[in-house]
Amino acid sequence: MDLTQRPRRLRSDGIRPLVSETTLDASNLIAPVFVDATTETRQPIPSMPGHERVPVAEAVDRVEEIRETGVEAIILFGVPESKDAEGSRAWVEDGVVQRATRGITDATDAYVITDICLCEYTDHGHCGALEAGAREGAIQTVDNDATLSLLERIAVSHAEAGAEMVAPSGMIDGMVGAIREGLDDAGYEQVPIMSYAAKYESAFYGPFRDAADGAPAFGDRRHYQMDPANAREASREVALDVEQGADVLMVKPALPYLDVVSRVRREFDRPVAAYNVSGEYAMLHAAAEKGWLDLEAVAHESLLSIKRAGADLILTYFAEDIAHRL
Ligand code: PBG
């Protein structure tokens, strides 16, 4: 037996940390924050233990709690006071995200990223303007090109409120280019775009849709979000966003799509973000509640694996818990 090669030599406690290939740091993490214009008090989100929808008046406190753990970047999602067919509360100056952004950027040094999508603002819950006949079950649902100018307006209104980065999540063709043009025309050429470049039509978004009240009222999102069966197509999607000026490329969800994270890392010379989504968070919590998994250990291992696969940044509901122990 030839045992000149003994990988175990490098696994003693003394040397393990020196040969560790991947490290997690609080500076890699982005914490999602839900701001709710319909409530005066914090509302726990049952399927996402530890997370709440906070009223606008408490957005600053919520962000300060996150910053105390060492996490400096947040992504804001809003629940508006009312919804309509166009989603018009998404781009108004006194909208929920605009007010929260103004408060947070005035009072803290947090890095504020805003999610740009219409599904929380439309009464039908889809991520854009509807095509004629969509409610009656026509094949397509979202009118792609009519949605572009709306996304542009939302992005500019967020930048006006002080957003430092915008993150379009609707999987609308041309969304990055339209938003880039809108921001540049309005004088916000320094505001980067983190594109949800390869976002899949995933069943792992369930808890988020409860949290942000953004489930589609009819149909689903498979005509705009990607088919989970496709990885080569992710390269095409990402390439289009790079051409249109995306600064950071996101893959979503994270754990079931690590092959896509690693592919985007290999093929594109841009920072890669991965979104460890609500369902990924909820399932670890559920198993831990039953005593079947050690929550902190599996959360840490999950984030480390996402980083190892090639993500530079991780959007995660575990941000505070994990940053705490780093
Ligand atoms: C909005 C949006 C969604 C998520 C982020 N932005 C929901 C969706 O596309 O249905 C999901 C986040 C999560 O599950 O944690 N388009």
Side-chain angles (χ1 to χ4, degrees), residues 77 115 117 119 127 169 196 199 204-205 208-209 221 225 252 275 277-278 317:
F77 296 95
D115 182 84
C117 198
C119 57
C127 303
S169 65
Y196 287 67
K199 175 172 176 178
F204 285 99
Y205 305 150
F208 174 94
R209 291 180 186 174
R221 304 209 206 286
Q225 298 180 348
K252 179 183 173 193
Y275 200 140
V277 302
S278 57
Y317 304 98

Side-chain angles (χ1 to χ4, degrees), residues 8-131:
R8 288 181 57 177
R9 286 180 198 128
L10 297 183
R11 288 182 198 145
S12 70
D13 284 347
I15 188 71
R16 257 174 88 104
L18 279 78
V19 296
S20 167
E21 297 176 30
T22 312
T23 49
L24 267 179
D25 192 87
S27 66
N28 308 134
L29 306 178
I30 300 171
V33 170
F34 297 99
V35 186
D36 186 343
T38 69
T39 179
E40 303 284 302
T41 56
R42 293 186 178 214
Q43 301 295 324
I45 304 164
S47 52
M48 299 173 69
H51 284 271
E52 312 169 301
R53 303 171 171 203
V54 302
V56 178
E58 287 195 40
V60 170
D61 290 349
R62 177 74 193 101
V63 170
E64 289 295 17
E65 290 162 18
I66 293 170
R67 292 188 62 235
E68 271 165 32
T69 68
V71 174
E72 294 287 346
I74 58 139
I75 181 161
L76 275 183
F77 296 95
V79 178
E81 42 288 282
S82 62
K83 306 187 189 225
D84 58 30
E86 285 73 44
S88 60
R89 293 300 301 170
W91 56 78
V92 288
E93 200 190 329
D94 65 343
V96 57
V97 166
Q98 289 81 353
R99 283 190 288 147
T101 300
R102 239 175 264 124
I104 296 164
T105 51
D106 283 352
T108 79
D109 291 326
Y111 189 79
V112 178
I113 306 168
T114 56
D115 182 84
I116 299 203
C117 198
L118 281 151
C119 57
E120 296 108 305
Y121 300 87
T122 52
D123 55 12
H124 46 74
H126 280 288
C127 303
L130 285 189
E131 286 205 329

